[in-house]
Amino acid sequence: MSLPKDFLWGGATAAHQFEGGYLEDGKGLCSGDVVTSGDGRNGIQRRVTYTLPDGEYGSQFVFPYQDLPQDTKLSCHEDEFYPTHEASDFYHHYKEDIALMAEMGFKCYRMSINWARILPHGDDEIPNEKGLEFYDRVFDECLKYHIEPVVTLLHFETPVSLINRYGAWIDRRCVDAFVKYCEFVMKRYQHKVKYWMTFNEINNMEILPLYAGGLLKNDDQSKATATYHQFIASAKVVKMAHEINPEMKVGMMIAYTAAYALTCHPRDELKLMKDNQIRHFYCDVQCRGHYPQYKLKEYQRNGIHLPVLEGDQQILKEGTVDYIGLSYYSSSCVSDDEKQETTSGNMTTSIINPYLKTSEWGWLVDPVGLRIALNQLYERYELPLFIVENGLGAIDHMENGQIHDTYRIEYLKEHIYEMKKAIEEDGVDLMGYTPWGCIDVISAGTGEMRKRYGFVYVDKDDSGNGTMKRYKKDSFYWYQKVIQSNGEEI
Ligand code: BG6
């Protein structure tokens, strides 16, 4: 058995973490632009910066998040450093970067369109032609090398203007604005882009409501409302995409993890069941087209009301997704015993699993968990899956222009091995595999540059110093062989 011939090997990035050019050619500010750097290994969290009605400037942690003061307007402040403003400067290096992807043999490139580059205020009547032209150039460059663009429509990049005027996704006007933005880009790029995803890691609304929904609040009602609006927006966009061009496929995207109970005590198992419900809820609605009973009951118990309008049920039903995109970095472990020691994970925490090692940032490394995760999702929804993020964030050392990242190769090798088992032995329908940050990007969680995932090293440090020169790591050549052999040689 071998992998399908059309398996989409590639890599992934997000606009705000990779592009830079944060105000170039008419782009507006997005939520990722108003977050400072942090230091993940020393526990210094990233902060969102804002201005108060009296002109005073303030800032607050994005994780853990708390309600921002009343009438706050998100803004940048001259004394702060915002790592995404320049990021890896793909805006000016896209030709070189896509050539490197082509050299590795990429079949696809997952990237996001930055909404505020197209509509600087999020809901402008006329799109910014210069922004549209930039993505035209990027897609043309990809297609030149037969690289299929895979586009996320919103990857932690809600326009700041919508946040400051409406509170973003808490307001139904954000749904209309998003659908309009998607209509502009889908009509424009329909012959260049076939694969789309609506919201990156939509389940991050639970813990990172600023990133996922541009929310200035962290209460359960606000998060439920914003999530509801994203579901409606996603369903409308799926339907619209099929009308614009039936060839286009639109997926959802979730941060997924295999979760284990720490013991076989029924209370730990119950905890696991609840934990899985939190995760599956987002897929349940987007794949099945309606809210699951366990969620409705929970809302009822907690006095949460959904802002349902007439016709919404039909919208959800008619807009179920074509595939599920998932990020998988680590598994997690749960226990009913709240005193258990925890470690960090992808925007979350987990109880320490005694059987697993952790990365330098404390994330549990679990390749077998990837096979379990793929099986869980495929059995439950019977939809094609797409691993659109996976990888090891690690510190790289450059010696004479070389980076010997054996640890990264090891991590990816083990994950690809389990991914192949899921396809070949378990029959999971997997569209492709795009490791995260294929060319080094700014970390979303910590804002660091030294937390690198790439096959290509970008010469830049955490304070923004460096030449921006690109260097091929050992993993670059290794991944090239993996793709060349369609996964036979790992
Ligand atoms: C996912 C996000 O959460 O994980 C990416 O979709 C992010 O934006 C990636 O960069 C890795 O997380 P981090 O915190 O190491 O950048």
Side-chain angles (χ1 to χ4, degrees), residues 17 155 200-201 329 346-347 363 389 436 443-445 451 453:
Q17 291 170 258
H155 192 132
N200 180 67
E201 296 190 336
Y329 292 92
N346 181 18
M347 317 277 179
W363 297 19
E389 286 185 36
W436 176 247
S443 157
K451 190 180 186 192
Y453 288 86

Side-chain angles (χ1 to χ4, degrees), residues 25 72 88 187 189 219 288 293 306 319 405 416 433 449:
D25 294 329
T72 289
S88 307
K187 282 192 171 154
Y189 305 127
D219 61 290
R288 294 174 171 161
Q293 280 306 319
L306 294 178
D405 55 343
I416 291 175
Y433 177 70
M449 192 68 203

Side-chain angles (χ1 to χ4, degrees), residues 30-69:
C30 76
S31 52
D33 296 328
V34 289
V35 183
T36 66
S37 60
D39 182 339
R41 296 213 305 173
N42 292 313
I44 300 166
Q45 301 295 345
R46 302 187 78 183
R47 286 169 297 114
V48 57
T49 57
Y50 54 80
T51 311
L52 294 165
D54 61 4
E56 273 293 295
Y57 143 84
S59 71
Q60 194 168 293
F61 293 146
V62 290
F63 178 71
Y65 199 49
Q66 286 174 350
D67 290 2
L68 268 70

Side-chain angles (χ1 to χ4, degrees), residues 305-458:
H305 299 283
L306 294 178
V308 181
L309 297 186
E310 207 186 318
D312 279 1
Q313 271 190 3
Q314 193 65 14
I315 293 174
L316 290 180
K317 208 163 133 190
E318 289 176 359
T320 56
V321 292
D322 298 317
Y323 66 94
I324 302 173
L326 67 140
S327 62
Y328 177 90
Y329 292 92
S330 47
S331 59
S332 62
C333 198
V334 296
S335 162
D336 191 50
D337 173 6
E338 287 177 358
K339 290 194 285 301
Q340 291 289 340
E341 206 187 331
T342 60
T343 184
S344 60
N346 181 18
M347 317 277 179
T348 185
T349 55
S350 163
I351 283 176
I352 290 176
N353 183 331
Y355 302 103
L356 299 176
K357 291 183 296 194
T358 56
S359 76
E360 285 174 278
W361 272 263
W363 297 19
L364 293 162
V365 176
D366 183 7
V368 175
L370 175 61
R371 180 173 176 187
I372 296 171
L374 293 172
N375 274 276
Q376 278 174 345
L377 281 174
Y378 192 59
E379 277 172 24
R380 194 173 170 105
Y381 303 106
E382 294 187 330
L383 279 176
L385 306 178
F386 198 157
I387 301 172
V388 294
E389 286 185 36
N390 174 235
L392 179 72
I395 294 181
D396 291 330
H397 300 282
M398 187 156 58
E399 292 157 33
N400 307 321
Q402 295 188 326
I403 299 104
H404 304 300
D405 55 343
T406 41
Y407 36 91
R408 182 168 297 107
I409 295 174
E410 203 53 35
Y411 175 101
L412 293 170
K413 188 185 277 197
E414 289 174 358
H415 283 77
I416 291 175
Y417 178 81
E418 296 297 333
M419 171 187 92
K420 285 177 63 185
K421 290 252 177 218
I423 301 172
E424 293 167 356
E425 285 189 25
D426 309 329
V428 169
D429 180 1
L430 191 69
M431 297 161 63
Y433 177 70
T434 60
W436 176 247
C438 49
I439 296 178
D440 290 342
V441 300
I442 298 290
S443 157
T446 68
E448 294 164 292
M449 192 68 203
R450 65 178 170 166
K451 190 180 186 192
R452 296 172 187 271
Y453 288 86
F455 302 111
V456 174
Y457 183 93
V458 176

Side-chain angles (χ1 to χ4, degrees), residues 51 73 113 143 149 230 291 301 316 334 396 411 439 445 475:
T51 311
K73 301 284 180 228
I113 293 182
L143 296 172
Q230 292 197 341
Y291 270 63
R301 269 195 315 276
L316 290 180
V334 296
D396 291 330
Y411 175 101
I439 296 178
S475 58

Side-chain angles (χ1 to χ4, degrees), residues 91-102:
Y91 199 73
H92 300 105
H93 288 77
Y94 70 92
K95 283 196 178 184
E96 181 188 352
D97 289 346
I98 294 169
L100 286 164
M101 294 175 196

